[in-house]
């Protein structure tokens, strides 16, 4: 960066704040002021001694000294934190928030920041242990001169992230589409396993192929902080209805299964396949086929972004390979005979049904603002839906298999429970639900996080055409 570079301030030194401070420093930003709650000042001073990152006692000091200030606090705390420190913001500076959900951030910034301060917000669409390189970094220019956008882009240049320019409203629509229902599916899988007191890696049903993704991502989510998921589910205006649709899809498909309404179940699954992926019934796309088509009604955000030239560019299919996935299993690979037990894949049938009902075009949203978790989830859905043989056998298993039926019952109960929890809008309830399951899985978190990181890296490398070294994706 040039000699007259901006001073960066970070309020909130949790996982993301720390990651930003270290990466920005390593990327050549000379002056970075940081703070957490005042009680953490002494430990921050010790931790950052000799790094060149400068801890201050509170957000007033950070705000008055910095040209670009990033609030990196819990979504539910953001309003009160901005109310407290916002009035101290340096004249002419630019403010951003790392918050995963932007509706409350927009309101808080408009209300509590002085008028002479610009708002150009950001959101890295990945967790703190994933490399920033190649990942989407959303930039939301809301208030102030256009030159502020260039400043923000320059500050983050060393991240080598892919800049995506959206409005506050577009951000919340895209992230609801990519994150809210995806998290609901994984949270429900975890709750279902916990309620049936079974560790998935201990049963042959969940240790190979696409099941490995289900297990690793579920554990990755439960190993992370509950408030990140609570914030985007409870505070994103579009999230609640989407999560409800997912639970409706799960329940309705399950009723068709247990009532043995074969034709209705088949029609519904094949129609959702065509609507979401654009493949007509029994058509098996060739492996080189590029992005599945956007055949029918697109969601509002899709068409808005298309006008902005952001999407519609298409995206290659993910083409997960069983061989790669098997390397990242938490359990022992079963014998072929055990592996052959068919699965209804209710969580996936319902996901594609839900996308179809909501008019969500997963590949298009992935191309704009996909997270690693979303990419893998689409990859798993694509794997099942791509092959008419596999999909037919999942439908058949849904109607007649009894081995997975208890898991499916638990899954229905869990999906409805999460949907109800989100509809109450209560953070304490969400936390309690989340922690019950997270405590159940916690003995495997360390291993699962490393393994999941390697799995994400291997699949991203595979997508980028790089050899899969399987090295950890953690810093
Ligand atoms: N983790 C992730 O994967 C991602 C998170 N985000 C978003 O980034 C934000 C931060 O998340 P993350 O870093 O994971 O969460 P953390 O809980 O790790 O960090 C938040 C930090 O903010 C601190 N804080 C709270 N109030 C204040 C205050 N008044 N002054 C200074 N610091 C304060 C918290 O302290 P205390 O712990 O004492 O409350 C905590 O250390 C969230 O809005 C999240 O949604 C965005 C992308 C990815
Ligand atoms: O990829 C996901 O969905 C994650 O779970 C990681 C994550 C969490 C919160 C964000 O705001 C962005 C990314």
């Amino acid at each position: 960066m040039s000699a007259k570079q901006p001073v960066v301030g970070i309020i909130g030194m949790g996982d993301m704040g720390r990651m930003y401070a270290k990466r920005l420093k390593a990327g050549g930003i000379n002056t970075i002021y940081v703070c957490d709650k005042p009680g953490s000042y002494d430990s921050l001073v010790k931790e950052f001694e000799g790094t060149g990152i400068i801890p201050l006692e509170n957000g007033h000091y950070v705000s008055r000294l910095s040209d670009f200030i990033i609030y990196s606090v819990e979504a539910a705390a953001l309003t009160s934190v901005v109310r407290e420190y916002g009035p101290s913001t340096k004249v002419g500076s630019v403010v951003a928030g790392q918050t995963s959900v932007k509706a409350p951030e927009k309101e808080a910034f408009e209300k509590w920041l002085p008028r002479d301060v610009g708002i150009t917000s950001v959101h890295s669409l990945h967790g703190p242990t994933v490399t920033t390189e190649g990942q989407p970094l959303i930039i939301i220019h809301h208030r102030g001169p256009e030159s502020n956008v260039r400043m923000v882009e320059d500050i983050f240049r060393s991240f080598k992230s892919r800049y995506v320019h959206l409005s506050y409203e577009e951000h919340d629509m895209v992230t609801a589409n990519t994150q809210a229902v995806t998290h609901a599916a994984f949270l429900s899988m975890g709750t279902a396993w916990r309620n049936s007191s079974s560790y998935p890696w201990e049963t042959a049903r969940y240790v190979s192929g696409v099941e490995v993704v289900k297990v690793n991502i579920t554990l990755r989510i439960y190993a992370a902080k509950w408030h990140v998921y609570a914030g985007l589910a409870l505070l994103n205006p579009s999230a609640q209805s989407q999560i409800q649709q997912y639970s409706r899809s799960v329940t309705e498909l399950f009723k068709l299964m247990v009532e043995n309404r074969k034709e209705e179940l088949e029609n519904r699954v094949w129609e959702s396949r065509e609507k979401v992926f654009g493949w007509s019934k029994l058509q098996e796309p060739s492996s080189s086929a590029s992005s599945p088509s956007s055949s029918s009604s697109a969601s509002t955000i899709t068409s808005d972004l298309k006008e902005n030239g952001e999407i519609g560019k298409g995206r290659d299919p993910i083409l997960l390979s069983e061989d790669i996935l098997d390397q990242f299993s938490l359990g022992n690979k079963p014998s072929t005979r055990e592996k052959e037990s068919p699965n209804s894949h209710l969580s996936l049938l319902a996901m594609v049904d839900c996308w179809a009902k909501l008019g969500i075009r997963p590949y298009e949203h992935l191309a704009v603002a996909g997270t690693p978790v979303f990419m893998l989830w689409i990859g798993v859905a694509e794997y099942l839906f791509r092959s008419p043989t596999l999909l037919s056998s999942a439908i058949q298993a849904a109607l007649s298999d009894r081995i997975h039926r208890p898991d499916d019952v638990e899954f229905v109960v869990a999906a409805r429970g999460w949907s109800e929890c989100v509809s109450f809008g209560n953070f304490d309830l969400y936390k309690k639900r989340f922690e019950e399951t997270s405590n159940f899985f916690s003995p495997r978190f360390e291993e699962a996080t490393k393994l999941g990181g390697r799995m994400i890296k291997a699949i991203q490398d595979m997508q980028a055409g790089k050899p899969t070294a399987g090295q950890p994706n953690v810093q």
Side-chain angles (χ1 to χ4, degrees), residues 254-269:
F254 185 69
K255 283 185 188 163
L256 296 178
M257 285 163 57
V258 292
E259 290 176 70
N260 207 20
R261 284 151 68 187
K262 183 169 186 283
E263 204 180 324
E264 283 164 86
L265 180 66
E266 282 176 345
N267 288 344
R268 193 154 161 172
V269 171

Side-chain angles (χ1 to χ4, degrees), residues 14-16 36-37 73-74 98-100 124 126-128 225 227:
D15 296 338
M16 292 303 282
D36 202 83
K37 284 182 179 155
V73 302
E74 299 91 328
Q98 174 65 257
T99 342
S100 307
S124 284
H126 56 84
K225 295 204 167 120
H227 71 75

Side-chain angles (χ1 to χ4, degrees), residues 10-20 35-38 40 57-59 71-78 80-82 84-85 97-102 105 122-129 179 224-225 227-229 231-232:
I10 301 177
I11 297 175
M13 285 299 276
D15 296 338
M16 292 303 282
R18 277 187 162 76
M19 185 269 271
Y20 263 37
C35 76
D36 202 83
K37 284 182 179 155
S40 306
E57 272 161 323
N58 62 47
Y71 283 84
S72 189
V73 302
E74 299 91 328
L78 182 86
S80 65
V81 180
V82 177
E84 187 174 358
Y85 304 132
Q98 174 65 257
T99 342
S100 307
V101 48
K102 297 298 186 188
E105 179 189 297
V122 294
H123 180 195
S124 284
L125 284 188
H126 56 84
T129 58
Q179 293 191 285
K225 295 204 167 120
H227 71 75
V228 175
Y229 303 102
L232 60 88

Side-chain angles (χ1 to χ4, degrees), residues 413-449:
V413 174
R416 287 184 74 107
W418 275 109
S419 162
E420 209 165 277
C421 169
V422 167
S423 74
F424 292 148
N426 181 316
F427 276 83
D428 289 337
L429 180 62
Y430 191 104
K431 180 178 183 208
K432 189 167 178 298
R433 251 186 104 78
F434 188 97
E435 287 182 343
E436 275 168 3
T437 297
S438 125
N439 291 339
F440 176 73
F441 286 120
S442 61
R444 296 300 288 264
F445 281 163
E446 203 183 326
E447 185 192 357
T449 311

